Amino acid sequence: MKIREDILETDYLYHIFNRGVNFNLIFFNKENMSFFLKKTERYVLPFFEIYGYCLMPDHFHFILRPKSNILISSKVNTSIKGLHCEESVYSKSLARLFSSYTQAFNKVYSRSGPLLESPFKRIRIGSEEYLRNLIIYIHQNPKDFQNYKFSSYKAVISNVETSISRNEILALFDDKENFISCHQKKIDRSQFEI
């Protein structure tokens, strides 16, 4: 298997997603999803701004922007490529999340081996229109998305404190009313299917 050599860059947003090996479940219950989100706070928030997420029983989606204030040593060895180079701090933080969750999941359910497909998938987001549609697509994954607990939709429309980049998201849609209205429309899902 070839190690991915491209790095996640701070000037871009990325659609990060993955699913269970052989389409198996990765979350058996709400407790699994809550635990995954706690791990996300630990491993992802220090390195990324979160523009959206949704956890489903057999897969998950994130929209992330690498933070630019992360210090990377000036002694980067440019001969080392892929996940093991120091510039891959962002990919490493995601790998730690997935590894930590998998280890805990395997321990609880007396299983071994990989839980998620490897490597995780990522798509650099190239336009605001694509980003808006992707946010809607991710939020519309569950049937009753307005009341779904394990996506960023409710965090965006609420006034409670959140680690989601709420103001930036709402600015993409002009305001909260338009954000809600845009989510009522069906979008072409084929461009986002994993």
Side-chain angles (χ1 to χ4, degrees), residues 15-110:
H15 180 197
I16 305 291
F17 54 100
N18 210 341
R19 61 179 165 219
V21 171
N22 296 323
F23 299 92
N24 289 328
L25 296 181
I26 57 175
F27 304 113
F28 287 164
N29 52 45
K30 293 178 182 179
E31 290 78 21
N32 293 157
M33 291 180 174
S34 294
F35 183 73
F36 186 85
L37 291 177
K38 285 185 176 150
K39 292 283 186 183
T40 299
E41 287 177 18
R42 179 175 179 185
Y43 293 109
V44 175
L45 276 180
F47 298 95
F48 293 94
E49 297 170 18
I50 301 176
Y51 277 66
Y53 72 88
C54 185
L55 308 183
M56 298 298 289
D58 63 348
H59 69 280
F60 63 83
H61 298 271
F62 283 112
I63 300 173
L64 303 175
R65 179 192 300 270
K67 291 181 178 177
S68 59
N69 60 350
I70 303 301
L71 294 177
I72 298 174
S73 172
S74 60
K75 299 176 183 178
V76 172
N77 182 346
T78 56
S79 66
I80 299 174
K81 299 291 183 195
L83 187 60
H84 300 291
C85 80
E86 204 166 340
E87 291 175 303
S88 296
V89 65
Y90 303 107
S91 292
K92 286 179 184 179
S93 71
L94 292 168
R96 285 186 194 107
L97 164 65
F98 306 146
S99 175
S100 176
Y101 178 74
T102 297
Q103 289 175 27
F105 186 92
N106 284 351
K107 184 175 181 181
V108 167
Y109 296 107
S110 301

Side-chain angles (χ1 to χ4, degrees), residues 13 45 48-53 63-65 67 131 135 152 155-156 161-173 179:
L13 283 153
L45 276 180
F48 293 94
E49 297 170 18
I50 301 176
Y51 277 66
Y53 72 88
I63 300 173
L64 303 175
R65 179 192 300 270
K67 291 181 178 177
L131 175 59
I135 290 170
S152 52
V156 173
E161 187 175 330
T162 182
S163 55
I164 302 298
S165 297
R166 179 189 292 138
N167 293 337
E168 292 82 350
I169 296 165
L170 291 176
L172 286 166
F173 290 88
F179 175 86

